[in-house]
Amino acid sequence: MSTNPSVKSSSQIAIRITEAILAKQLAPGTRLGEQQLADLFGVSRTQVREALTRLMARGIVTVSARRGWFVIEPTPEQAREAFEARRVIELGLLRQARVRPVSGEAIRQLREHIAREEAAIAGADVGARSYLLGDFHVCLCECLGNSLLSETLRDLTARTTLTAMLHQSSEQAEDSCSEHVLIVEALERGDLEQAEHLMQVHLQHVESGLNQVRSSDPLEPLRQALASVSRQGAAAGTGVAGPPGKRPQ
């Protein structure tokens, strides 16, 4: 997480931490030490504590009386709820746009954002790539004229990002960017129904990718090793039954 001398207020610190999560620079469970953050940003611990309290209220960090502040580690149920909330907001805004035309200026901003996505994907900055792909949805929300919901959507996007324990591959990133392009093209030609459908499909793809990451079994290497030992013992006719220290008869 990079810092900036201009970051002085608690709200700016909260924004920078959220941006670092969207860029996958802060992993789930990362400890956020008050003094370390105060030193990095050049502010008081009080300001850091205020920023972390803001993020706790928004469901992005958690605190333990003895251990301190940590980035949340969303459960599968919390991730599911976050995606449900994202669908309600994003599809609802696109549905509302049917009675409130999308301006040419909004389309220009969205196309500029996609150009930055494509540049990040072509480059080697995985953090920028991850941030821009997530921020597209916040940008779209703002372009559809609802800055209040855009803040909520940024928090929800951060929470769903935290469910992805592994970095997104270049191929997945390209697919996401291509889907963003199709959504903006539908908006530009005024086909709001198609834009809504494309967004629904896109969110399903993103959630499916995170489910695949979440379903990986961290105990699989140990499970495989133990299964191998059991099979070898059975093949030798020794078995593994009996209390520790007692040789099979």
Side-chain angles (χ1 to χ4, degrees):
M1 181 176 61
S2 60
T3 55
N4 188 316
S6 65
V7 175
K8 294 296 183 183
S9 70
S10 60
S11 61
Q12 289 172 321
I13 294 170
I15 289 171
R16 292 302 296 275
I17 292 173
T18 304
E19 289 176 345
I21 290 171
L22 288 170
K24 295 185 179 177
Q25 293 172 343
L26 283 177
T30 300
R31 188 176 186 278
L32 302 171
E34 290 183 9
Q35 189 58 57
Q36 290 90 335
L37 290 174
D39 292 341
L40 284 170
F41 288 112
V43 298
S44 68
R45 288 183 64 172
T46 299
Q47 287 172 289
V48 169
R49 198 174 299 117
E50 289 174 354
L52 294 174
T53 300
R54 286 171 180 259
L55 293 174
M56 181 175 66
R58 289 156 51 185
I60 295 176
V61 305
T62 185
V63 65
S64 167
R66 294 186 177 182
R67 299 173 61 234
W69 300 89
F70 294 86
V71 178
I72 63 165
E73 298 181 78
T75 65
E77 179 64 18
Q78 289 171 334
R80 183 190 63 77
E81 290 177 350
F83 264 106
E84 283 184 356
R86 282 187 62 178
R87 275 191 285 270
V88 169
I89 292 175
E90 298 191 58
L91 299 182
L93 283 170
L94 287 170
R95 197 169 299 121
Q96 179 65 25
R98 297 183 191 182
V99 296
R100 185 170 55 189
V102 181
S103 69
E105 174 62 19
I107 297 297
R108 184 188 66 79
Q109 291 180 24
L110 290 169
R111 287 201 171 278
E112 287 181 355
H113 193 287
I114 289 175
R116 292 195 295 273
E117 288 181 24
E118 292 170 338
I121 291 171
D125 192 338
V126 175
R129 182 183 75 195
S130 175
Y131 173 79
L132 288 167
L133 288 171
D135 194 56
F136 168 82
H137 297 265
V138 180
C139 180
L140 175 59
C141 188
E142 292 173 343
C143 287
L144 293 176
N146 200 313
S147 59
L148 179 62
L149 281 178
S150 68
E151 292 300 314
T152 302
L153 188 58
R154 180 177 284 108
D155 293 344
L156 291 170
T157 302
R159 293 184 66 153
T160 54
T161 297
L162 286 169
T163 67
M165 301 299 291
L166 303 174
H167 288 292
Q168 186 181 42
S169 70
S170 297
E171 182 178 353
Q172 290 172 320
E174 291 173 2
D175 290 343
S176 286
C177 185
S178 297
E179 290 173 354
H180 292 172
V181 170
L182 294 176
I183 291 168
V184 173
E185 287 177 349
L187 289 172
E188 188 169 20
R189 63 176 181 265
D191 191 346
L192 277 301
E193 184 174 352
Q194 177 66 2
E196 182 182 342
H197 169 72
L198 290 169
M199 178 62 79
Q200 184 171 17
V201 171
H202 173 59
L203 291 176
Q204 288 172 344
H205 287 167
V206 175
E207 184 175 12
S208 175
L210 298 186
N211 283 337
Q212 291 174 14
V213 170
R214 193 168 62 237
S215 65
S216 63
D217 185 357
L219 295 178
E220 186 59 25
L222 180 60
R223 179 176 287 105
Q224 290 291 338
L226 294 176
S228 177
V229 169
S230 299
R231 285 194 297 269
Q232 290 174 3
T238 60
V240 294
K246 183 177 181 179
R247 297 175 60 84
Q249 300 298 317

